[in-house]
Amino acid sequence: MARRAAAGGAGGTRGTGGSRGAAGGVKGARRPEVRLPTLEAYGGGELEPDGDYDGLQFRDEDFVGQDGGGARFMDCALTDCALDETRLHHARLLDSVLTGIRGVGTDLAESTLRDVEVVDARMGGVQLHGAVLERVVIRGGKIDYLNLRKAKLRDVVFEGCVLVEPDFLDARLERVEFVDCALKGADFTGVSFTDVDLRGAVQLEIARGVERLSGAVISMGQLVDLAPVLAVQMGIRVEG
């Protein structure tokens, strides 16, 4: 969808990616092309359940503990907003850019993120279980205890970020790339991988579910690092 460039640099980035995947015979993720229109400043007040927010700039807003369940955000920019314990269950975030957001316990369960960029987020305990992420880039920042159980990720890129104990239990990942990011203590139990490229991860630490890596691509160095975990999983005793 073609969009006018945003005033004041609020717009996002870039074209389709996946050169790494193409070189290795893996289908690369399609990155979002977010072109925000000229945005109107949000008028303040609390979020509303099932609210409809279109073409708005949210800057330095405090949404702590508020309920925006079922809300729709279209062509929006959220910048430096606080989202601690904010309820956005079943929300829809479309063609939007989230920059510098922060919060603990943000509830985005069963939400939809499509053509979204998340930049330099600082979050913990984010609930995205059962969510659908399509053409999403998560760039920079750190997210602790990200809950993506039973989520569906398609054309998603994790770039330059740190994920501490992310939980992907029973999730479905298709055309997902990890670029210059760290995965610490990831749980891949029951995960389905299709064209998932893990080679760009600067740290790949899998706590559970290493046996589910079929459909993913790793580097030779990562294979060596994962060898002890794979040996345990396969019941191989290594001595000497």
Side-chain angles (χ1 to χ4, degrees):
M1 184 181 302
R3 303 195 181 279
R4 293 172 286 136
T13 56
R14 48 186 152 213
T16 56
S19 58
R20 178 193 297 271
V26 180
K27 293 180 181 178
R30 295 177 296 171
R31 293 172 178 254
E33 294 187 359
V34 183
R35 300 285 189 271
L36 293 177
T38 300
L39 301 178
E40 177 183 347
Y42 178 60
E46 293 198 358
L47 294 174
E48 298 180 1
D50 300 316
D52 198 353
Y53 304 99
D54 196 342
L56 296 177
Q57 169 77 67
F58 300 84
R59 185 178 295 275
D60 296 313
E61 296 290 343
D62 184 349
F63 294 130
V64 173
Q66 295 185 22
D67 187 355
R72 183 184 76 104
F73 297 83
M74 176 78 175
D75 288 334
C76 289
L78 283 74
T79 305
D80 298 328
C81 294
L83 300 174
D84 298 86
E85 302 294 339
T86 304
R87 186 178 185 274
L88 292 165
H89 179 90
H90 219 278
R92 290 177 292 161
L93 284 75
L94 313 171
D95 294 283
S96 294
V97 180
L98 287 65
T99 304
I101 59 172
R102 60 194 185 279
V104 175
T106 308
D107 183 2
L108 282 157
E110 298 182 351
S111 60
T112 297
L113 282 70
R114 183 176 296 118
D115 293 306
V116 168
E117 297 183 11
V118 181
V119 182
D120 293 333
R122 296 284 176 176
M123 309 192 78
V126 181
Q127 301 300 312
L128 274 164
H129 54 84
V132 175
L133 284 67
E134 185 171 2
R135 293 187 302 276
V136 173
V137 170
I138 298 176
R139 182 183 305 111
K142 181 183 179 185
I143 304 177
D144 297 329
Y145 313 115
L146 176 62
N147 183 349
L148 282 164
R149 292 188 171 201
K150 296 186 178 180
K152 298 178 181 178
L153 285 67
R154 186 175 186 182
D155 294 311
V156 175
V157 179
F158 295 93
E159 182 175 5
C161 58
V162 177
L163 303 179
V164 178
E165 297 189 28
D167 187 350
F168 292 90
L169 185 142
D170 291 335
R172 293 170 55 187
L173 281 64
E174 179 179 357
R175 293 195 300 272
V176 175
E177 298 179 28
F178 296 84
V179 182
D180 297 328
C181 66
L183 280 82
K184 301 181 179 181
D187 187 347
F188 289 142
T189 303
V191 171
S192 170
F193 288 121
T194 304
D195 290 315
V196 173
D197 197 339
L198 290 159
R199 290 172 294 176
V202 296
Q203 181 176 354
L204 178 58
E205 179 184 306
I206 301 175
R208 288 172 294 279
V210 68
E211 75 281 1
R212 303 294 300 189
L213 286 177
S214 176
V217 177
I218 62 175
S219 70
M220 184 61 69
Q222 289 169 335
L223 176 60
V224 172
D225 291 340
L226 290 172
V229 182
L230 287 167
V232 171
Q233 180 62 39
M234 298 175 66
I236 300 173
R237 187 171 64 185
V238 180
E239 299 180 353

